[in-house]
Structures are given as structure tokens and as C-alpha cells.
Amino acid sequence: MPAHRRAALVTLAATVLALGTPGLATPAPAAGAAASSDVYVSPAGDDHADGTARHPVRTLDRARDLVRARVVHLSADLTVHLAPGTYRRTKPLVLDARDSGAGGHRVIWQGSGDDTLISGGRRVTGWQRVPGRAGLWSAPAPQGLGDTRQLYVDGVRAQRARGAVPVTLTQTATGYTASSDTIAHWKHPADAEFVYTSGEALWNIERNGLGQWTEPRCRIAAAEGTTITMTQPCWDNSNKRVEFPDIPGRTVSMVGPGKLTNGGEPSYVENAYELLDQPGEWYLDRSAHRVYYLPREGEHLAGADVEAAAAEKLVEGRGTADAPVHDIAFRGIEFGYATWLTPSTPEGFSEIQAGYTVTGDKGWATQGLCQYVAGGTCPFASWTKMPGNVTFAYGRRIEFADDVFAHLGASGLELGAGSADSTVSGSVFTDISGNGVEIGGVDGQTPASGVQVTDNHLYGLPREYHGGVAILNGYTEHDTIAHNQIDHVGYSAVSLGWGGWPDKIGDAATPNPSHDNAVRNNLIFDYMQMLDDGGGIYTQGLTGTSMTDGEKVTGNVIHDQWGLGKNVYTDNGCTYETVEGNVLYHASYANVASRHTDYRDALGNNDPTLVKDNWWEEGTADGDNKGLVTTGNTIMTGLSDVPPDILDNAGLEPAYRYLLDRRTGALSVPEAPSRVGTATAGADALWVTFNPAFVDGGSPVTGYTARAYDATGQQVAEESVSAAEFKRTALIHLGVPAGGPVTVAVSARNALGESAPSLASAPLAPTAATTLPAAPTAPKLRTSATAATLAWTPPTGTGDARVTGYRVTVSDGRAPIDVTGRDVLVTQPSAKGMFRVIGGLTPGTAYTVTVAAVTAAGVGPAATVTATTRSTTQ
């Protein structure tokens, strides 16, 4: 057991002894055991008590008020001792300058680890079977619960009832015309929410949303007959974004399209009673004040702890520039069961990027458009940030340590404008609807500075707003993001900066105060598991004023990206970034990219960037491409090529690795996979691909099963693969009856069992494939002494089938290399380049390498390239 956990248990035991048993005498605390100013709190306490160890108060608010009376006399740190238990909130614990430490001493809110929960939930009890609905249970909604977006059963998030849209929709100015009046006959059509999942348009997977990195949501306002009216302003904010009149298709914001893509087609519909059909789904009937739930196998509601998230904030630090809140620590506390209801209002969730949204009446016409639109609000790109369920503004020397942020409905922790010299360490962030940690902002207020986010484990997020990121860092100074482990996340892991998009029209990036930020020694893997066009570490805009004070990305190990993107992504306007000493592999497009012109002058240079001494697979040669400097990087054929100390130093430091075993909630089956697509594999078979389940239920995913259904809903085929095999190939080969179209749903399994099935793929009939694909284009061989990177772009024509792999041959006579994986699939629609490392080469030797595309029709013609490896003396 880690020493700090032993200490917490000793403190807990002492507190229990001090609290004693009602009606019995209890010994006084030992001399020196606690400062006389300390405050004690217990869920069994009494707010009329004096807050001593023998007479604890009950609520956090009363404890805060006692602290206010004592901080002016501090001669040492003041600790608020939270006894084990649940502290339920209907509104946030509000802290301001009066609640700060004094005289160089801190106010420490000390919990006992996993046993101390600050909860925004309300327990749901009184479950009964619903007559006439097999397996369905219901219970009265808790008193005072008007709405919620989250329900948890024994700490496991349930899925809001969802399903395919049951009608064909044609977009109109105010919503849709439906092919039938089915939705109008639902019990409460205005509860239903359309979800527009984006990502790459892969096979028959549609690209909806507002850019490959987004997943906007809008509710139905009314359904009358076949007319579906959507809520405002969400609808207009998602469909009327201003475009440049002389640049067709280019929005003035320069981020994403001007309206919902694919004819406004939603990916699915959520939150309707009629959609309750899978274990783990729930629905709140607000008018009847009743909760419905379909239990998963093994769940017994009579004894389960079912929590509806109710409060929207748990702790709120309301500092100001003139009166900051400061010198406060939160240790050993779990923050959970809070919600965020704005997306359920007419405002909806009109996403721009990383959880930022366009908001307000006519927000589409003005918000964040600054100098480009008359009346546009400034600064450029200052859209509305997703709030945190725990949030501080103008907080100085705020500390979060050994905490858990889980079961949350917005972002986990927000250290907003004016945050300074604050730390987040040794904590877990998981099962959060949106962003994990948010630092600073982009709205022109005082930037965050000196914030350190170190030695945390962030995983299994975002759960609801899938364009969210694990760590979001805005305009900041002297921030450090280091030694974190970030894994199994739906989109990018770390996102920094903002405002570089004007380079798309030849304008310079928006000036900002960022400088001296460092992202170092993090371990990032299994990221971008749902959306596309992101990275392990993603940066936007100016990062400093020179290479000296620009952003430093060093010593990180980043691997196993699923969606289309990069390990380290230097996006629009990213200047003065140093990418040095990282280990970067298994990316879908590039290890480090991309190049952008620096429009701060008319010299035609690129944004100044240094890519140095990394271990990677990309293999780009040394050189200075107009300020984009690449030097000293090593082609890696495997981890054995990397110095062990680099690998050992990435991620959690040894004292914090116990966090990897710290879990929240009961073990459960995995979340269902998403975005299932199919392609023909011949006259009687389909290829199936999908986004893997990045929420494993606390037990690793071991495999996947694909099932095909004919037009009547009858299952006609089934095939299973291991998780390892699917990770390698990204494919399941599914034999199906020849002839009519079939749909496919996929489930994931772990040691606890099988998930609910995914939403079904679009229907597809298998067809014979006879026409071979064309040859790949632009082959290149980037060599070192004993290895080479083969790079190419997909063929311009694929015949009558989809590319599912490549065949590579090397002139030294080795067996052909079959290239498979997700990058084979996601690089095809947008013709992005691919690369693979070939090892075991002889220095100073000429090699000829060929690469050919593979489809159901066979192996196509090859592209050929020849190069000579470097000699050992070079």
C-alpha cells in the first residue's frame, strides 16, 4: 500500500475514534493531533455543533462558514477533515477570497480517498416492473429532479435510450420533413435529441456533424405530422454559420462547415421512451416524473445504488482579479454525479471544437467572428467553453491532489481565467461527459499561468460529447503538463492554444499571450478512438514570441492512434513549437505534422518549428523547409531501438503508478462500439469495421462479435474476433447470404460479458468484385543505415471494391509484407499518405521496394521505388 494511502487510513481511523459513538464518552484528541482551528465534518454531524473532532458539523457550507471565522487568525495550515461518506449537493459549495488561506498558510479540505464523495446525485428508489414491457423497470423520480442527462447504476453510467431515426428526413429551414408521422406519435417528441456524429466518411459510415472532430446535438422542438421543428438557437447556430461571400464553402470562423453536413442527416436519435430496447438504457419521463431503466444482466435494482445526476456544479471558486481565491487544497476527495443541462435546452450543443460551442440568439452571426464580420464579437474564435463541474476562476495556489473526478456530466475540473500557480496531481479523471481538465480560456481575460497538471491518470472519456479532450489548455503562460497517463479516449489527448485558423485565408494567427508552456514525459496511447482529425498532442496558434519561449513538447511516448490524425499535430498558426526527444509510433497519417505558411510577413516562410531527436516511423529527412527544421530523428523499427530510460520516464512516476489500479464504480460489460461500416468482400461476404469500445467497464475488452441482419430483422450471420486481432487489422470478415442487403451491429466483450449491440450499419448487399485497384501513387523510400520508411498515397481508383490492405515486397527476398490496420481505411477517402517501416536492412545497399493495394478482387498493380541505405559512416 502506498505510504500516502496508509497515512490517509491512519487519519481516517483517528477521526472515527475521535467522533466516537453517540451516547458514549469519547477521548479528547491527543495534544498536537490537530490545530485548534481545524474543522471536522461528517454526514452524521450537526450544523449546530462547533465543528470540533467530537462535535462535527454536517454540511460543507457550515464548515466553510467556520473556516471564514478562523482564517484571519491562522498560524498554521487549517484542515477541514471530511469523514467518510457522501456529501450531497443541490448547488455548489461556493468559495471566494474570504475562504482563502492567510499568512502563507493554506486551507486544506481533506477527505479519506475513495470513501469521501462530494455528490450532485439524487438516489432513485422504489423500482417496480413495468407491466407489459419485458425487462423494463420504473421508479418515481427523486423529489426536486426536474431533468438530468445522466443515470448511474452502482457507479456504472447507463445509456440514454437511443436508436436509429425511424423515418427518412429532408432538411428544411427550421428542421425536417419526415417520410411519415412516426415521431409525432411518440409520447414526448420534444424530449428527443438528434445527435450528429462526425469523423471520416469511411465506407458506408456517414460523416455528419460540423467537421470530423465534432458531435453536435440539437433537440426537437415539436413534431406535428411529418413536420419536425428543431429548437432555436441550436438549429440556426448549426446551419447558418457565416461564410465568406467570395470563398464558397469557407466559413468566416474558418473552423468546419457552415451547416450540418450530409444534408443535416442525424446519426441517431436519443432520449425517447420508444427507444428503450437494449439493456443498460434509461429514460426520464419529466411530465410523469418517472425514471425507466432496462437492467443489464446481473443488475438487481432492489439493492442497487441508482443515482440521477442533478447538481450542475459541485465546487465553485469565485475569485476576481481584485480579490482572488487562494491557498486552498482539496485532497483525497471524489467529485461525482453532477450534470450539465444546457444541451437539453434550446441552446443545444452546437460544437466548434474541443467542447467549445456557438451559443445565444444569432450567435452564428457574431460570436467570435471579430474583425471579419460587422458586429462580430472579439477576440476572434472566443466561443463558449464547456463548463467544469468543479471550477475556479482567479484562483491562486489552488491544489487538487489524490482526488477522483468521475461520473460527471460536463468537464471535470476547470481552472479558468486568472488561475495561477496551481497544481493538479495524483488524481484520476474518468467517466466524464466532456473534457477532463480545462486550463485558462481564449476570451481575452487574464490568462492562466504557472498551472501544473502532473502525474494524473485520465482515461475512458469523453462519454457524451465525444469531441472533448482529456486536457484542454487555452491561452496560458508557464504551464506544465507532465508525467500523465492518458489512454482510451475518444478524440485528442491534449489540446493547446487557439486562434490560428486565419492562415487558411492568408492572414496571420490571432495574437495571444501564450508562452513558456511545456508538455513533457506523458504516456499517451489508444487515443482518437471515435473521431478524426486530431492528435495525441494538438496545438493551435502562436505558442510564444520565439523558439526560446515557445511551446516545448519533449520526452512524451505517444502511440496507437485510431482515427485519422497525428501523434503530434501542429495545426494552423502553430509557431515556435519544439518537438524533441519523443517516441512516436502507430499513427494514422503522420508522427509530426503539419506544415503551415507563416503569414505574419510576406516572406513565404513556414511557421517556425523544430522537430529534433525523436524516435519515429515517419522517417522525414533532415532539413530546413523555410523554418520548419527537422534534424537528428531516428527511424524506429521497434521499442528496442529506443533508450529504455526514455520509455521508463514517460507517464506516471513510480510513486503514482498505484493510480492505474484505482477504479470507480462496479465492474461492468464494455460500452458498445460505434460507427459501424461495411464493404463488399465478394458475392457472399462483407468486411466490417467500427470504432472500438474505449470504455471497457473496468475489465479489458477481449473481443468483438459482428452480427448481420436481413431486411426483416432476422439474424443471418455472426463472426467473432479477438480484440488483439481487430486492433491489428481493423476488420472482421463476415460471410453473409448472397443477394439482399444486410445491416451489421457489433458488440464488445470482456470478462464480465457482452455489451449491448452498437447502432446498426447502413444496409449493404454483397457483390462480386472483379476489377483490381490501381497502383498506389508517389512512393518514397526514406532510408537510414539499417531501416527505411516506405511512404505512399492510396490509389486514385479502387476498382469495384474497397482497399483493405497493401502488399509490400522488398528486393532482398524476404516474404511479402501485408499491411493492415485502421490507417489503411481512414487514409483512403481523403487520399492521405501512409507509411511503414522496413527493418533489417544492410548499410550502403540499394533496395527496390514495391507496394500494391489489396481489395476483394485481389492484389492490384504495384508502384516501385528504389533507394540506397546510408552507410555506417554517414
Side-chain angles (χ1 to χ4, degrees), residues 552-556 578-583 610-615 633:
K552 305 297 188 294
V553 177
T554 60
N556 303 282
T578 297
V579 183
E580 182 175 2
N582 304 281
V583 180
L610 176 62
V611 183
K612 179 183 179 184
D613 295 340
N614 300 284
W615 288 264
N633 302 290

Side-chain angles (χ1 to χ4, degrees), residues 68-341:
R68 285 181 178 175
R70 301 178 187 186
V71 290
V72 294
H73 306 295
L74 284 188
S75 58
D77 289 350
L78 186 161
T79 300
V80 180
H81 301 270
L82 304 181
T86 299
Y87 298 84
R88 294 189 181 272
R89 307 294 308 174
T90 58
K91 57 184 180 180
L93 171 67
V94 176
L95 304 175
D96 57 32
R98 295 171 293 174
D99 308 301
S100 304
H105 303 297
R106 294 166 296 179
V107 174
I108 302 170
W109 294 75
Q110 179 68 61
S112 55
D114 300 339
D115 298 313
T116 303
L117 170 65
I118 298 178
S119 171
R122 300 191 182 187
R123 191 165 186 181
V124 184
T125 60
W127 291 96
Q128 297 177 336
R129 294 182 183 275
V130 176
R133 284 291 306 271
L136 186 63
W137 292 65
S138 74
Q143 186 66 33
L145 182 72
D147 199 2
T148 186
R149 296 180 65 88
Q150 294 85 29
L151 188 78
Y152 302 85
V153 180
D154 289 330
V156 178
R157 181 180 293 231
Q159 169 65 55
R160 284 210 306 176
R162 66 175 184 173
V165 179
V167 293
T168 300
L169 298 174
T170 302
Q171 188 173 2
T172 67
T174 58
Y176 301 94
T177 298
S179 57
S180 74
D181 61 356
T182 299
I183 292 177
H185 291 288
W186 285 0
K187 290 176 67 174
H188 303 294
D191 283 351
E193 182 174 282
F194 284 162
V195 182
Y196 305 87
T197 306
S198 196
E200 286 297 322
L202 173 63
W203 291 0
N204 60 358
I205 303 174
E206 297 173 343
R207 178 193 292 177
N208 300 323
L210 290 159
Q212 296 98 305
W213 54 91
T214 66
E215 190 179 55
R217 293 165 170 263
C218 288
R219 285 181 86 150
I220 293 173
E224 299 174 350
T226 59
T227 298
I228 296 177
T229 304
M230 302 299 290
T231 57
Q232 296 286 13
C234 186
W235 186 248
D236 281 354
N237 285 339
S238 302
N239 287 287
K240 288 187 175 181
R241 296 180 182 179
V242 181
E243 296 182 357
F244 287 107
D246 54 344
I247 311 178
R250 173 67 72 198
T251 55
V252 172
S253 73
M254 290 163 270
V255 187
K259 61 183 179 180
L260 292 167
T261 55
N262 194 30
E265 187 74 19
S267 304
Y268 60 93
V269 59
E270 192 172 273
N271 200 41
Y273 177 85
E274 289 74 12
L275 301 174
L276 281 166
D277 62 356
Q278 297 296 334
E281 289 188 333
W282 69 278
Y283 169 72
L284 170 64
D285 188 330
R286 292 180 297 158
S287 62
H289 204 62
R290 199 154 192 89
V291 182
Y292 293 87
Y293 181 63
L294 267 171
R296 302 178 178 96
E297 184 176 355
E299 288 180 334
H300 303 285
L301 296 181
D305 177 20
V306 182
E307 299 281 343
E312 295 193 69
K313 284 189 183 294
L314 300 174
V315 178
E316 184 173 10
R318 296 179 182 173
T320 66
D322 295 330
V325 55
H326 58 88
D327 297 290
I328 298 176
F330 295 86
R331 300 175 181 169
I333 299 172
E334 181 173 346
F335 302 92
Y337 302 113
T339 191
W340 178 41
L341 295 178

Side-chain angles (χ1 to χ4, degrees), residues 385 388 390-395 398-400 413-420 422-424 437-441 448 451-453 472 476 479:
K385 182 172 61 176
V390 176
T391 182
F392 274 79
Y394 292 94
I398 305 299
E399 173 194 327
F400 288 88
L413 171 63
E414 178 187 0
L415 300 177
S419 295
S422 297
T423 60
V424 184
V437 180
E438 296 180 337
I439 311 167
V451 175
Q452 298 186 46
V453 180
L472 177 66
T476 62
D479 280 4

